[in-house]
Structure formats: C-alpha cells, structure tokens
Amino acid sequence: MTAELVRGQNHTLPQTRLEIRISAGTPVVAGATLGDENGRVAGVEWIAHPGSPQLHGLEVSRQAAADHRLAVDLDALPDGVHRVTVLLALPLDAGGPARFGAVASPFVAVTGLDGAEIATFTLTGLDSESAVAALELYRRQGAWKVRAVGQGYAGGLAAMLADQGVDRAAELAGTIQEAVARGLARTVAPPPPRTPEGDRVRHTPAPAPAPGNGRPPVPPAPPATPPQPDPLAEPAAPGGPINYAHPRRQSTAPPPPPPAAPPAQPGQPAQPVAGDATGWSMDERLYNQVWGMFEDLARAAAAYRSAVDFAESRMDQELERTLSDPRSRIGGAGDRAREEARAKRDELTARARESLDRDLTQLAAESAVVEPALPAPYAGWDNPVWHGYRVPMEIPMALRIGDLHLPESADLRIPLLVRLPLERGMWIDSGRTASEAAALAGTDQLRRLAMETAVLHAARLLAVYPPNEFTVHVIDPAGSAAGALDPLVRSGVLPSPPATGAQGVSSVLAHLTRRVDLVQMAIRAGAADSLPPDLDPAEQLLIVNDFPHGFDDRAVTQLRYLADEGPSVGVHLMMVADREEASEYGPILDPLWRSLLRVTPVADDHLADPWVGHAWTYEPPRTPPGSAVLDEVLARVAHARRTGGR
C-alpha cells in the first residue's frame, strides 16, 4: 500500500534498490547529496547532479526535465553515507519561472524497480523558493526510511548546498547551472500550458464517456494549446494500450466535434482519426494531436526501458543470491539457477516488448491518418498538399522543421512542430557530429547540406506567412553558399542579394540592429505608430553562413545582441556554422549557441523531449528527389509579394 506522506512524515523502506520519480510540470534540475550521520556532505564527490550524474549507488538525470527518474541502490552507497537528500531546483537563465510558487506543486514518488509506489509526497506551500530539498532517505538503527522534507530556499541552489555544509557552494551551484544550460539547449521546448491545472495522465483505457460527454457545459475558454507535462503525471504502464482520449485533451471548452471514428471491431481499440484532440479549428486539433503522439511515444518508450532495466536488475539479484550460496556450486544447481534467471529476464523483456509493440502499432495507425491530413505548415515536402499551395492570409499556429524518432521505432516519425512566431532562432550545425550519417559525409558535403537545410527552413517560413509579412536576409561573407541559395535568389523572394565581404556583413547587422533598437524604444514609449516609414514591419530572419568568417569583434557583439533581443521584436537568427571554427572566441559565444535551437543537416540524436528526456534522432527536412515543389512554392510566394497577394 502506498504511503502518501506529508511534510515531516517518514516511512520504512521495504527494499534497498529504488527509483525516485519526479513530476514537476516544468523543467527542473534534479540532484542528490550524500550525507553522514549529521547530514553533512563531505565534498563535491558526494553530490550527484547533471554535470556529474553518477555516484556509487546513485544516478540522477543529466539535464533539466519535467519528469525525472533517479536510480538508488542503498546497499551500494559508500560506507559513511547515512542520508541521501533529493534536491530540486529551477534552471537559471532559461526563460522559465524563477520561483516554485509560480508552477504546479512537484510530485515525488519512491518506487520499487517494478514501478510499485512505496511512498509519495506532493511539495505544496512553496512560494519564493527556487530550490527545495524534496525528501531524504536516511538510515536509522540499520534500517532505511524515507522522510518528506519540502524545505525550500529562496537563495536557490547555492543556499541549499551551503546549508548542507558544502564548501564553495556558490561556485558548485554555478557549475551545475552551466551543465543544465547546456542540456536545455538541446531540449525541444514544450508547448505552452493550456490550463493552470491538469488531470493526472494514465496511459490506460478510459471508461466510455456518458452521453453528451458526461459533463455539464462550461463557458467559452481561450483557444486550446497542447498538453503540458503534468505535476502528477505517471509514466505509461508496461501493459495496456495507449488511450488517445487524454483527460487533458478534454479539459477545455468543447471544440467543434472531431470527425467520427470508424466503428471498432469487438475487442479491438477504436480506429484513430485525424483531428482527435481539442481545439477550435482543425489546424489546432491536429497540432495538439501531433504533440499528444509525441508525448505518448516518449512515455511508452520510457515504460519499456524501465521494464527492461527491471528485468536485468532482477536477473542480477537472482544470480548474486545463487552464487553466494555454496550449495549452488555442487553439481549442476548453479547452471540451472543461471538458466532460470535468464529465462525469467527474457520473459519479462518479451512481455515489455509486446506491450511496446502494441502501443507502437496504434501510434503508427494514428500517424498514417494524421500525416495526409496535415496542412502545409505542418506537412513534409512530399505531402501532396504542397501541390495545391496558396499563399495564406494569416499566420499558422506552428511550423514543421523536421521529424523525430526513437531507436525502438525508427519507422515511426513524429513531426517536430515549433510555434509561430518563433521564440528562439536556429543553429544548423555544419560541423562533424558523432552520428553515423555525419561520419559518412565529408566536410564540404556537410556544409552544403547545412545551407540547403537552411534554405528549406527559410522557404517554408516565407510560404506560411501572408504576403510581405516575413523577410529573409542572408549573410554569406565568402559567397560559398551561392549554389544552395540559388532557389531563394532566382525566385526573387529576397529583398536584396546575399551580403558578402566584411562590408556586407557590417551593413546587414547595422540595419537589423537599428530595427531592434527602434522597435524596442517605440514599445517602451508606447508609440508604436511613430516608427520611421522606411522600417519594414515584417518579421525578419537573418541567415548567417560560414560564421565567423568575415566577422570582427564588433560584428560578433551585434550578432549576440540580435540573438538576445531580436526575437521579442520579430528579428530571428538562423546560424549555419561549425562551433569548432568559432572556438577562438572561447566561452564568450556560449550564450549565443545556447539561445538557438540546434538542428543538423543529417540525422543525429541530439534533441531531447521535455517529459522524460529521451535522446531523439532528428531528421532534417528534404524535398523529394527530382521534385520542383520548392521552386513552385517560392514562385508563388514571390508573385504574392509583388502583387500584395492579389
């Protein structure tokens, strides 16, 4: 039976190999300290955090995330350890909340390796605190117990570490936050929260709703946005199919009814349909549905991996018990015990894979009906919707910038949708990464593919905005990207040719810096109608190729300024660069790289989801071989720009 703890309450732990599961609803840093009998931490080597995630008997997450799973083996801890304190902190400089009082109450569960909850604790009553000691595992008279702590610190991570006796706590806190910032730079930003509170999500079949949805009418609400990691969210259970009717997808005012699903066969799940999510338009429902599929796949894979880890751990324990018994060394008893342990491991793993395959089958069926129904901004370049493309009259909710998949389901691709207007720029990494695809490509080929990827992203942005509401500028100091830029130049969608040389770099940066300054001053003065008549009111995108070639120190400073201040006033960066080539600038450029969403011109597993932190393989957009769809779309965009959309 699960013990639901309140602050200060304790509970005896029935086992020593545990998982600590954390659901926070917003990305948080999770760590743990090892303390002596008095709770004092001997040194940094007794602290597990994203920059140093593994200690003997303890492993924590490598990045900030809304959900965490910490692995603890109390028997494997160093001899002098009597206390394990689980810490949570809000990331700094991440643009997120600065205090726990502004987010939903974090939920912590201590579980066995089989996922069964032993004790839970909801951290309520937090306000100005940005760090909190959530709970502690402590040893008393030879037995281990868990205590709900909930002690918050307005002074943040540094104050919390100092309270535990850590020397140079502020310096260590800075190191941890730096590691977190590097991790957040690779995390796909979750969609904005739809409601202040969400329902607890369970990936198991829900009972059929009563006629009329079984709920009283509610007053109209603002347009829905996709599901957000929930403070009480649970990972998908290893058994049971995915329930597409998420409780959170039904918590807003009733949208127009989605299309009716085909009747299901007896004993079979209902057939998925496109638009099976909340929203006030089909585009919004599809957007929400894609994000629901993204989360479903992340949690289904997490459940599978957890089950496999449990099977391996159980086999190791059984083998350890067998080998520690002298009687097993006589005759064939030891061999039989090893075979039985491996057979149990294989059976558990097979059952977990069967459950995962069932979930993947349903997700694949959902993807098969959703992909053909996607509007142009969400669709791949091979979707027939582009052949009937018309320049839109309004900005869409989001834009597709590639696909994501996991190793458990390489054929199941989830569209990576980012909200519009863009909230952060993009960095297309033209350097050699650790991926197999990058290893097979030459340096020149990677640079060419990176610039072609930038052109495809820019073309899509131009195509989904109304006429003359999105402008693209290009800096190509050495003129090395002329071939890749040809579709943009030839179609006439650029207001001016790509800037080359140091003078061209300086001119474009000065123009966009002036625009940011003027718009910011107008906003602060409340005089937006007083902007100069020559100022282009459209959203601006600056593509920078071959950085830092052609950039002096002043140009680098202007570029950093545009990255920091530009997005809030409609100026965005798209860097095509190899970070190693800019290494001479040292850490001064670290904030620039972290402010941009890093994508690659070839498949690479560098992006993480915001729920459980899986490493997802990103696939960049590509046009079908021999297709003229890009030229056709750009020609229509250019015509609309010349005629004002007529």
Side-chain angles (χ1 to χ4, degrees):
M1 182 176 179
T2 303
E4 297 183 359
L5 305 180
V6 296
R7 187 174 280 107
Q9 189 176 4
N10 61 44
H11 181 73
T12 302
L13 294 171
Q15 58 201 79
T16 57
R17 303 188 74 173
L18 307 164
E19 271 194 353
I20 298 175
R21 301 183 179 184
I22 300 164
S23 296
T26 190
V28 297
V29 183
T33 60
L34 306 181
D36 59 17
E37 290 181 330
N38 299 315
R40 306 287 291 182
V41 179
V44 294
E45 66 276 6
W46 275 22
I47 303 174
H49 57 82
S52 178
Q54 291 182 318
L55 302 177
H56 287 297
L58 178 64
E59 183 173 2
V60 304
S61 304
R62 297 175 181 270
Q63 64 182 44
D67 295 319
H68 293 271
R69 292 189 180 194
L70 282 59
V72 182
D73 185 348
L74 297 173
D75 290 336
L77 294 173
D79 292 337
V81 174
H82 288 259
R83 186 176 303 178
V84 180
T85 304
V86 177
L87 314 175
L88 303 179
L90 293 170
L92 300 178
D93 302 324
R99 58 188 184 89
F100 275 107
V103 302
S105 299
F107 174 80
V108 184
V110 180
T111 77
L113 295 183
D114 59 354
E117 291 183 348
I118 299 170
T120 64
F121 175 41
T122 302
L123 284 77
T124 58
L126 299 176
D127 186 12
S128 61
E129 300 89 344
S130 60
V132 59
L135 54 78
E136 62 183 15
L137 314 178
Y138 65 99
R139 183 160 48 188
R140 182 69 52 82
Q141 297 179 345
W144 283 94
K145 297 183 178 183
V146 56
R147 176 186 291 122
V149 180
Q151 174 64 54
Y153 294 83
L157 193 56
M160 180 165 55
L161 293 173
D163 192 42
Q164 297 191 35
V166 178
D167 293 332
R168 303 172 71 178
E171 181 178 336
L172 176 59
T175 300
I176 295 173
Q177 291 289 0
E178 176 67 21
V180 171
R182 290 195 298 269
L184 284 174
R186 60 185 287 269
T187 303
V188 179
R194 186 181 58 192
T195 57
E197 300 178 355
D199 301 321
R200 189 169 181 165
V201 175
R202 299 181 184 270
H203 292 274
T204 52
N213 214 20
R215 293 182 297 275
V218 295
T225 51
Q228 179 78 346
D230 189 83
L232 301 180
E234 294 180 337
I242 292 171
N243 170 26
Y244 294 104
H246 291 296
R248 287 180 299 178
R249 294 191 191 178
Q250 301 175 3
S251 61
T252 60
Q265 298 295 323
Q268 298 295 321
Q271 294 300 309
V273 295
D276 186 17
T278 53
W280 297 95
S281 68
M282 177 57 87
D283 286 2
E284 188 175 4
R285 293 201 299 268
L286 287 168
Y287 173 81
N288 291 347
Q289 187 172 15
V290 167
W291 270 90
M293 293 164 59
F294 188 9
E295 183 176 2
D296 282 341
L297 182 53
R299 296 194 184 279
Y304 168 71
R305 295 178 186 182
S306 177
V308 171
D309 289 344
F310 168 71
E312 293 285 349
S313 175
R314 176 173 172 175
M315 181 186 71
D316 292 342
Q317 287 179 311
E318 292 180 352
L319 290 177
E320 185 178 347
R321 285 196 298 268
T322 299
L323 295 175
S324 64
D325 186 353
R327 292 172 298 180
S328 66
R329 302 168 190 167
I330 303 174
D335 293 336
R336 287 194 299 272
R338 279 189 286 269
E339 291 176 1
E340 290 174 0
R342 293 190 180 102
K344 290 179 182 177
R345 186 271 314 272
D346 294 342
E347 179 186 1
L348 289 173
T349 301
R351 283 163 51 190
R353 184 71 214 194
E354 181 182 354
S355 176
L356 175 66
D357 288 341
R358 184 167 56 248
D359 291 344
L360 293 180
T361 298
Q362 291 205 33
L363 278 170
E366 187 172 16
S367 177
V369 298
V370 168
E371 277 285 356
L374 294 177
Y378 307 172
W381 285 108
D382 57 349
N383 192 308
V385 70
W386 285 106
H387 296 296
Y389 166 75
R390 294 291 183 270
V391 177
M393 291 296 105
E394 59 182 22
I395 302 172
M397 283 187 62
L399 182 81
R400 184 173 187 159
I401 62 170
D403 295 337
L404 298 171
H405 64 85
L406 290 173
E408 288 87 353
S409 56
D411 294 333
L412 178 57
R413 308 297 173 93
I414 303 295
L416 176 54
L417 303 180
V418 297
R419 289 294 294 263
L420 293 178
L422 296 173
E423 296 180 355
R424 62 193 294 201
M426 296 174 63
W427 164 30
I428 302 172
D429 190 351
S430 60
R432 188 171 299 282
T433 64
S435 71
E436 181 181 353
L440 296 174
T443 300
D444 292 341
Q445 183 183 9
L446 284 173
R447 291 179 176 177
R448 176 180 57 80
L449 290 173
M451 199 61 204
E452 290 176 355
T453 301
V455 168
L456 287 176
H457 288 312
R460 184 179 287 260
L461 281 162
L462 286 164
V464 303
Y465 270 77
N468 298 310
E469 291 193 19
F470 197 88
T471 301
V472 176
H473 306 270
V474 179
I475 290 178
D476 184 21
S480 59
L485 289 168
D486 183 63
L488 297 178
V489 175
R490 181 164 30 87
S491 63
V493 295
L494 298 179
S496 59
T500 58
Q503 185 175 356
V505 172
S506 176
S507 175
V508 173
L509 291 177
H511 169 74
L512 292 176
T513 301
R514 172 179 176 268
R515 184 190 187 281
V516 171
D517 290 340
L518 290 174
V519 174
Q520 284 187 335
M521 287 189 292
I523 292 174
R524 284 195 290 265
D529 55 350
S530 64
L531 290 169
D534 64 335
L535 187 139
D536 182 3
E539 296 271 319
Q540 310 284 311
L541 175 70
L542 173 60
I543 302 176
V544 178
N545 181 46
D546 209 16
F547 177 81
H549 181 83
F551 280 74
D552 56 21
D553 290 346
R554 182 171 186 272
V556 170
T557 301
Q558 288 177 311
L559 196 67
R560 287 190 56 191
Y561 176 72
L562 292 178
D564 293 339
E565 304 295 334
S568 63
V569 291
V571 177
H572 314 282
L573 283 184
M574 186 177 290
M575 301 282 292
V576 181
D578 179 356
R579 187 171 181 173
E580 291 300 319
E581 294 183 355
S583 59
E584 63 185 83
Y585 288 97
I588 192 173
L589 287 181
D590 286 351
L592 171 64
W593 304 119
R594 288 199 300 264
S595 70
L596 305 173
L597 174 63
R598 176 177 173 254
V599 296
T600 51
V602 294
D604 190 83
D605 58 350
H606 65 283
L607 290 178
D609 67 77
W611 300 286
V612 293
H614 289 319
W616 292 72
T617 297
Y618 168 79
E619 295 275 359
R622 289 283 180 265
T623 55
S627 171
V629 62
L630 179 62
D631 291 335
E632 293 172 0
V633 169
L634 289 175
R636 292 174 185 172
V637 171
H639 175 76
R641 291 173 68 89
R642 291 191 301 269
T643 63
R646 294 189 297 274

